[in-house]
Amino acid sequence: MHHQPGRLVTTFLEGENGTTTAADLRHLAGFLTRLHALDPAGVELPLLPGPGPAPVMPDESLSGSRIRRALHDLDPGECGRLSVLHGDLWPGNTLWQAGHLSAVLGWEDAALGDPLADVGNTRLELLFSQGKGAMHAFTQEYARHRDLNLDRLRFWDLRAALRPCGRLTSWGLEPTVQAQWERRHAWFVRQAGA
């Protein structure tokens, strides 16, 4: 996919969705570190938006109010320079061919911001789809390439945990899968300190 101001050109690419192996997670973390290392000068993307105001009826099944309180109490710290962010990197937005990452899809949430926003989101998505082992393996691989301040990551994990609040039930998940994701989400929120 090539992006120029006002234009989007797409090409058909063969491949399969998802990541399942340690090598796949290394490729995924490698892609994200290369993306975050790009010079954002001249890239016409919006700044990463904030989480927005709290809804009148917060999703307490996913601890929406508790997450917001914890975010309020945490300092995201200085991100240094802004990075190009994918905004929604998860296994369903990747294509793999012969064991290699051949394409990253779903760039509609791309923005400029703190690279840990992408890391937190990808950690949660990997936890949902593949469990704690995949999430930890991805995090360790990303940390091999870039500085990973775990105190700052807690903030961005909580920002990621806020995204499914009020929306998870509309994702069309099987009831057993939704229940599993709710349990994993609760663990994710606790490990981030909320």
Side-chain angles (χ1 to χ4, degrees):
M1 190 177 304
H2 308 284
H3 179 72
Q4 296 176 346
R7 277 184 256 178
L8 182 66
V9 179
T10 59
T11 303
F12 175 78
L13 295 170
E14 292 186 21
E16 297 177 15
N17 284 108
T19 59
T20 56
T21 69
D24 293 347
L25 294 169
R26 283 193 301 273
H27 287 296
L28 192 63
F31 164 77
L32 208 52
T33 58
R34 289 188 305 278
L35 177 67
H36 294 161
L38 292 176
D39 183 358
V43 177
E44 294 182 24
L45 288 171
L47 290 176
L48 180 69
V56 175
M57 301 280 296
D59 181 358
E60 299 308 348
S61 69
L62 294 181
S63 304
S65 295
R66 191 171 85 200
I67 294 168
R68 285 182 182 275
R69 280 193 303 274
L71 280 170
H72 183 267
D73 294 341
L74 284 174
D75 179 3
E78 293 295 319
C79 86
R81 77 176 180 93
L82 296 177
S83 293
V84 176
L85 307 178
H86 179 274
D88 192 22
L89 187 62
W90 64 289
N93 274 341
T94 61
L95 287 179
W96 300 81
Q97 198 172 41
H100 294 282
L101 182 61
S102 59
V104 175
L105 314 170
W107 289 87
E108 60 271 10
D109 293 325
L112 297 177
D114 192 312
L116 292 183
D118 266 346
V119 175
N121 184 69
T122 302
R123 283 167 45 84
L124 179 59
E125 294 287 358
L126 286 169
L127 175 67
F128 279 160
S129 63
Q130 297 178 24
K132 293 177 188 176
M135 182 198 83
H136 288 308
F138 165 80
T139 306
Q140 290 169 351
E141 187 62 31
Y142 185 88
R144 282 183 357 103
H145 299 286
R146 289 186 62 104
D147 177 43
L148 195 55
N149 180 320
L150 296 180
D151 289 334
R152 291 187 58 245
L153 183 58
R154 290 178 53 226
F155 176 88
W156 292 104
D157 277 356
L158 288 170
R159 275 284 305 265
L162 198 58
R163 288 179 74 172
C165 290
R167 300 171 44 202
L168 186 64
T169 57
S170 68
W171 290 358
L173 302 170
E174 295 287 328
T176 55
V177 172
Q178 181 172 323
Q180 179 187 57
W181 286 23
E182 287 170 352
R183 287 190 302 275
R184 289 178 175 182
H185 183 273
W187 174 85
F188 191 76
V189 170
R190 285 193 308 273
Q191 66 84 39

Short mmCIF file of all heavy atoms in Angstrom, two decimals, residues 5 49 64 68 97 117 124 151 166:
data_model
loop_
_atom_site.label_atom_id
_atom_site.label_comp_id
_atom_site.label_asym_id
_atom_site.label_seq_id
_atom_site.Cartn_x
_atom_site.Cartn_y
_atom_site.Cartn_z
N PRO A 5 -0.32 12.21 -0.31
CA PRO A 5 -1.41 13.11 0.08
C PRO A 5 -2.56 13.06 -0.91
O PRO A 5 -2.38 13.23 -2.11
CB PRO A 5 -0.74 14.48 0.10
CG PRO A 5 0.71 14.19 0.34
CD PRO A 5 0.96 12.87 -0.35
N PRO A 49 -5.10 10.88 19.16
CA PRO A 49 -6.09 11.55 20.01
C PRO A 49 -6.08 10.97 21.42
O PRO A 49 -5.65 9.84 21.66
CB PRO A 49 -7.41 11.26 19.30
CG PRO A 49 -7.17 10.00 18.54
CD PRO A 49 -5.71 10.01 18.16
N GLY A 64 -14.16 0.11 33.21
CA GLY A 64 -13.93 1.39 32.55
C GLY A 64 -13.59 2.53 33.50
O GLY A 64 -12.64 3.28 33.27
N ARG A 68 -9.94 4.59 33.93
CA ARG A 68 -9.84 6.05 33.80
C ARG A 68 -9.23 6.69 35.04
O ARG A 68 -8.43 7.62 34.94
CB ARG A 68 -11.20 6.66 33.47
CG ARG A 68 -11.61 6.42 32.03
CD ARG A 68 -12.96 7.08 31.72
NE ARG A 68 -13.36 6.79 30.36
CZ ARG A 68 -12.98 7.48 29.29
NH1 ARG A 68 -12.18 8.52 29.43
NH2 ARG A 68 -13.40 7.14 28.09
N GLN A 97 3.67 -14.81 4.60
CA GLN A 97 3.93 -15.70 3.48
C GLN A 97 5.29 -16.36 3.71
O GLN A 97 6.28 -15.66 3.95
CB GLN A 97 3.92 -14.90 2.17
CG GLN A 97 3.77 -15.73 0.95
CD GLN A 97 3.57 -14.86 -0.28
OE1 GLN A 97 4.21 -13.82 -0.43
NE2 GLN A 97 2.68 -15.27 -1.14
N ALA A 117 2.22 3.69 22.63
CA ALA A 117 0.79 3.51 22.35
C ALA A 117 0.59 2.28 21.46
O ALA A 117 -0.31 1.47 21.71
CB ALA A 117 0.24 4.76 21.66
N LEU A 124 -2.09 -5.98 24.15
CA LEU A 124 -3.45 -6.39 24.50
C LEU A 124 -4.04 -7.29 23.42
O LEU A 124 -4.67 -8.31 23.72
CB LEU A 124 -4.35 -5.18 24.74
CG LEU A 124 -5.81 -5.50 25.08
CD1 LEU A 124 -5.92 -6.36 26.34
CD2 LEU A 124 -6.61 -4.21 25.23
N ASP A 151 7.53 1.63 33.46
CA ASP A 151 6.62 2.54 34.16
C ASP A 151 5.74 3.28 33.15
O ASP A 151 4.54 3.43 33.37
CB ASP A 151 7.39 3.53 35.02
CG ASP A 151 8.01 2.88 36.24
OD1 ASP A 151 7.49 1.84 36.70
OD2 ASP A 151 9.03 3.39 36.73
N GLY A 166 -17.03 -0.71 26.39
CA GLY A 166 -18.25 -0.29 25.71
C GLY A 166 -18.37 -0.78 24.29
O GLY A 166 -19.36 -0.50 23.60
#
